[in-house]
Amino acid sequence: MNNYEYIIASLPRLGKDAGPLDTDEVISAIRSQCSGADNALIDLLLDSFDAGKLTPEFYKEALKSRNKFIRNYLLFDLQVRDAKTEYLNAALGRPEGEDLIEIPEGSGEFEQEARVREILSGSDILARERGLDDVMWEKADSLTELDLFDIDIILAFIAKIKIADRWNKLDPETGRELFRRLVSEIRNTK
């Protein structure tokens, strides 16, 4: 197991003649080639895309992970979600700090806070969601800049394929664009 080079090389390639991609099938194929420990990391990452699982306990456990991608990506995810909650609290006249999940002390500064606030201040709801997803996509990229063939590349791919899948369901053209972008990025790392 843990033949990351093979897994990364076998990630799907899309062309203009390719049919729709089954995200669950792609993730299942990746999982079948990963160890139990790697699948546990994949489970944790996939849970972050399930709103019902995003509890303070989830983030507390995720931020203890020994895997740097999981720790850093999910900390960033929490920071973005808290910024979104703060924005909504202010817009709806709710008390400041309501429904926030506490970010652990020593987690560092939220470097994208100004950008996230700018995105949230836009009037187009879809543009706001797309902007936040772009921020998350860029974070996945930045966390794997120096990685070549390891689990972090695979985790970043899964995060991005989940983002693309979300847009494919909301807006098929945007979804196809994101899948093309993802495939182009994977091809450029080989």
Side-chain angles (χ1 to χ4, degrees), residues 138-156:
E138 292 164 13
K139 184 63 174 181
D141 282 341
S142 74
L143 291 173
T144 57
E145 281 178 338
L146 301 176
D147 296 320
L148 290 176
F149 296 109
D150 62 15
I151 188 62
D152 290 352
I153 292 289
I154 294 166
L155 293 169

Side-chain angles (χ1 to χ4, degrees), residues 80 84 87-88 91 115-135 166-167:
V80 169
K84 191 174 181 180
Y87 172 83
L88 290 172
R115 182 173 175 206
V116 168
R117 284 186 185 176
E118 181 182 330
I119 290 167
L120 290 169
S121 68
S123 60
D124 182 337
I125 293 172
L126 280 178
R128 285 194 310 233
E129 288 301 311
R130 173 67 192 264
L132 293 175
D133 281 344
D134 285 346
V135 167
R166 175 176 182 246
W167 281 97

Side-chain angles (χ1 to χ4, degrees), residues 63-79:
L63 298 179
K64 289 182 191 175
S65 175
R66 295 178 69 187
N67 177 272
K68 71 176 177 64
F69 180 87
I70 292 291
R71 255 190 343 270
N72 293 322
Y73 187 77
L74 294 182
L75 171 61
F76 189 76
D77 178 71
L78 175 57
Q79 291 169 322

